[in-house]
Amino acid sequence: MAYRWILLISISLGLLGCSPANERQLSNYQSRLERVAGIEPGRAQPLVIDALPSARELLHPLPDLRLDLLDAWASRQCGLDALIAERNSSLGRVQSHSLRLNYELRLLRQLEYCLQQDSISSPLQQQLADILHSKQNSIELSFFNMLHAEQTLRQQLHGKSQLLPIAGQEALFETQAALQQLNQLQSAIASQDWQAAAAIDIESALGVLHRFDTLAVLQYSQRYLSGWLTSLNQALLALEPATFCPQQRPSEQLSILTTVFLKFFAEELQPYFNQHQRHMQALWPELQQLYQQSPLLPVLEQRYAGSAAHLQQEILVHIGWWQHLNTECPAGLTQRN
């Protein structure tokens, strides 16, 4: 005779009627368990993680080439004059890493264009070719300087002490699209398609990441929930389920305990855990690809993939205790097909 576990709701589902879950709901479920099961109050501690290397450790110096010595034709007729003026301006000297990257890409695009002009002299052609070659060799350094030191990205990777809200799909979709845009930029740079790379709006992508803070909140939320479940599981695993049903007979305590699980965990909290997995499935591959060649990757794997795996393991441990209870007692956590 087949049985279907009510409590074994698939982690991959959770698309049906997600209820908001926050610290109040976590506290509500925990406090009810503590009162009914008689366990000691626990205090959640987020998973401990390694610190991010400082931006200064990861920055690469970029070659500072003098473009102001190019002749008048290059400046006026080839379109380099505006770029030269931009870089030499007061704002150009203090560009953010993202703006500097965009400048370098536009410069590469313009240098390629200049070298295609028939009217360019041989000496100037050689000068421009040398500059182009040098800039091509350093453009990846400029890209990684942005990844490692741009303030918006650093804030996301540091994390934010806030639980992931359930606020529709906009934040998830917009964040995923922004990461995809940055990955497209990396791909265009790798293929030396300066036209495509220069056309990508880096500031827009970074603005989306800053506005929603999804990456920052996701990693902290997973680490917090992992620590919270670890503490709760340790208390539950110290209990023997059979004590809630002497001689395998139903009891009021068992009935209340079962209600607490079904109402406050299965119906409210588990859809929230499912949301974390959906976010990871959408965002982690993009983030992993973006930092694939970066020394930050091991730290990010710990903060995102590692905390997600730990959270899923603690969920299984938690559900396992309720399975044990249902085996030992007539808890009513199964129903016939």
Side-chain angles (χ1 to χ4, degrees), residues 141-159:
L141 298 181
S142 183
F143 178 78
F144 280 107
N145 281 350
M146 182 199 70
L147 285 188
H148 296 152
E150 188 64 37
Q151 184 178 10
T152 294
L153 291 174
R154 293 289 299 187
Q155 289 172 344
Q156 299 306 303
L157 303 184
H158 269 298

Side-chain angles (χ1 to χ4, degrees), residues 9-40:
I9 303 172
S10 172
I11 299 296
S12 64
L13 295 178
L15 297 175
L16 303 175
C18 292
S19 301
N22 49 34
E23 290 187 45
R24 179 188 58 79
Q25 289 176 308
L26 296 174
S27 177
N28 193 23
Y29 175 61
Q30 179 177 344
S31 62
R32 289 172 184 273
L33 274 185
E34 289 170 351
R35 289 198 303 270
V36 178
I39 58 179
E40 293 295 323

Side-chain angles (χ1 to χ4, degrees), residues 140-183:
E140 285 195 354
L141 298 181
S142 183
F143 178 78
F144 280 107
N145 281 350
M146 182 199 70
L147 285 188
H148 296 152
E150 188 64 37
Q151 184 178 10
T152 294
L153 291 174
R154 293 289 299 187
Q155 289 172 344
Q156 299 306 303
L157 303 184
H158 269 298
K160 185 176 183 179
S161 300
Q162 177 180 319
L163 292 183
L164 186 71
I166 297 181
Q169 297 298 307
E170 181 186 7
L172 175 59
F173 293 154
E174 292 288 339
T175 301
Q176 183 182 30
L179 290 175
Q180 290 171 341
Q181 196 171 12
L182 294 179
N183 274 314

Side-chain angles (χ1 to χ4, degrees), residues 203-235:
E203 300 307 309
S204 174
L206 294 176
V208 168
L209 297 180
H210 174 76
R211 184 164 72 253
F212 290 106
D213 264 347
T214 305
L215 291 173
V217 172
L218 174 61
Q219 61 154 301
Y220 175 81
S221 190
Q222 289 187 150
R223 292 190 286 111
Y224 180 88
L225 292 175
S226 294
W228 176 77
L229 265 179
T230 297
S231 176
L232 194 58
N233 287 341
Q234 289 173 348

Side-chain angles (χ1 to χ4, degrees), residues 322-336:
W322 289 97
Q323 286 179 301
H324 188 195
L325 174 70
N326 193 74
T327 300
E328 297 293 323
C329 298
L333 296 178
T334 57
Q335 65 181 31
R336 301 174 186 270

